Amino acid sequence: MTAPVRSFDHEFAPTRIVFGPGRSAEVGDEVARLGTSRAMVIMSGHAPGGDTVRAALGDRVAVSWHEIAQHVPADIAARATASARDAGVDVIVSLGGGSATGLAKAVALELEVPIVAVPTTYAGSELTPVYGMTGGQRKRTGSDERVRPRVVLYDPELTVGLPAAVTGPSTFNALAHCFAAMWSPAPNPLIAALAADGVRTLWASLPVVTDNPTDLDARAGLQYGAFLAGTALGSAGTGLQHRISHALGGRLGLVHADTHSVVLPYVVALNTPAAPDMVARVRPYLGDDPGHSLWELAGRIGLPRDLAALGATDEALDGVADDVADTPNPVPATRATIRALLERAYRGREWQ
């Protein structure tokens, strides 16, 4: 007998998805479809596909912006916004990972212009209304539909050159979105199903890409999994895992994706006893102990498995625990629970 479907709410987000090899060349058509003509292009100077995007946009490029940093420093966001305003920008095109998308959101929040995102990692933020900026030792996050990209172009060809040291942690970032959706305090069976399929696709594709970085089918699998993860994130929002990662980034400047490859197995292990639906959905891929399976995968593909290796200090973990204590979570996130989890993650110890 199947489990009953509980009551839930769901709204479909108004984002157009363009998916497939070579489709980043269609970015100019998508900008025109929006009725816009003066684009700010946000990308690093060496972003893959940069020449393609610039050529596709042609004289629609009003300003190019290359100063990008992780966690979206508020001072960079302010300068980029001023540049876009001075150029009369009416659309933002972002090319790159979560940092490029995040900066585009910061500018869009101020100018109220649409975003066309061309992601080259698996962060998933291109499908959400969530934004964040960092000032001092705090990362401020929020949610506003004005920053949800109107169009997202997924082109797996742009990810072929992504180093393994970026591919793996970025995929764990996407996996974190999937798990958070499956134990969300507001369960949604549609989103949980998407999230479980995201886990399946990411889990199957990551080892293939690690062994053969030029495998375009596996790269497309990672992008499809990231699309599912981002869709789940856009509906269910973030949870304890991302609160911890944001706190580690804000306080210590750690690379956001790298923290997921270390912390996610411990958060999944913490929640496994209280999230039977999640376990049932991922059992075909990760078995009965999904946290341990994730921990083993990280080690098998050479990812860091302790916060100390990322540059964290044991003393700073007290502040992180203070920041994230009492986050809604299947297992109550008391300060003591979070501090103990961080201690294990700091030393790279399994949870048994």
Side-chain angles (χ1 to χ4, degrees), residues 7-350:
S7 298
F8 69 95
D9 297 335
H10 183 76
E11 294 183 16
F12 286 95
T15 300
R16 172 176 164 80
I17 305 300
V18 180
F19 191 104
R23 301 202 68 182
S24 57
E26 300 175 29
V27 65
D29 296 335
E30 296 303 324
V31 165
R33 185 190 295 271
L34 293 174
T36 56
S37 61
R38 294 188 60 77
M40 171 182 235
V41 180
I42 294 177
M43 62 181 179
S44 64
H46 56 273
D51 291 342
T52 298
V53 167
R54 280 189 293 262
L57 290 170
D59 60 8
R60 297 186 185 93
V61 178
V63 61
S64 294
W65 187 270
H66 303 299
E67 186 183 6
I68 300 169
Q70 65 172 340
H71 307 302
V72 191
D75 59 331
I76 293 179
R79 290 196 297 273
T81 299
S83 178
R85 182 180 288 112
D86 291 344
V89 162
D90 62 2
V91 64
I92 302 169
V93 176
S94 64
L95 172 66
S99 295
T101 306
L103 181 57
K105 288 181 174 184
V107 177
L109 185 66
E110 294 296 321
L111 301 187
E112 300 187 21
V113 297
I115 299 172
V116 176
V118 187
T120 60
T121 64
Y122 312 113
S125 61
E126 67 274 2
L127 288 168
T128 79
V130 178
Y131 65 89
M133 280 180 282
T134 303
Q137 290 189 325
R138 292 289 189 275
K139 185 168 184 177
R140 177 176 63 88
T141 60
S143 180
D144 193 308
E145 284 297 328
R146 291 175 295 178
V147 308
R148 190 195 298 267
R150 292 279 298 280
V151 183
V152 181
L153 293 96
Y154 289 101
D155 184 345
E157 291 181 353
L158 302 185
T159 71
V160 169
L162 199 65
V166 178
T167 297
S170 185
T171 301
F172 266 72
N173 191 355
L175 284 165
H177 298 321
C178 294
F179 280 98
M182 287 187 285
W183 60 55
S184 168
N188 180 325
L190 172 61
I191 295 302
L194 290 177
D197 200 44
V199 171
R200 176 191 66 81
T201 307
L202 295 165
W203 180 261
S205 301
L206 180 56
V208 177
V209 169
T210 301
D211 293 337
N212 183 6
T214 62
D215 189 314
L216 193 60
D217 288 338
R219 289 283 185 182
L222 287 184
Q223 275 206 321
Y224 176 65
F227 159 63
L228 294 175
T231 301
L233 171 65
S235 177
T238 60
L240 177 62
Q241 167 68 29
H242 271 77
R243 284 288 305 278
I244 292 174
S245 290
H246 284 309
L248 288 167
R251 283 185 172 271
L252 299 171
L254 303 188
V255 176
H256 182 73
D258 287 352
T259 62
H260 288 295
S261 68
V262 174
V263 177
L264 179 61
Y266 293 95
V267 175
V268 171
L270 173 69
N271 284 334
T272 290
D277 183 65
M278 175 273 289
V279 176
R281 288 181 183 276
V282 303
R283 182 177 287 118
Y285 328 118
L286 277 73
D288 290 322
D289 191 349
H292 181 261
S293 296
L294 290 166
W295 188 84
E296 285 191 325
L297 175 63
R300 188 162 73 247
I301 64 176
L303 298 184
R305 290 196 292 186
D306 61 275
L307 291 174
L310 300 184
T313 61
D314 187 55
E315 297 78 14
L317 299 183
D318 287 332
V320 174
D322 291 337
D323 291 345
V324 304
D326 300 323
T327 298
N329 191 61
V331 173
T334 65
R335 187 192 182 284
T337 297
I338 300 307
R339 188 61 180 83
L341 183 153
L342 290 170
E343 181 66 24
R344 291 192 292 274
Y346 175 73
R347 302 191 183 282
R349 296 174 180 166
E350 280 199 80

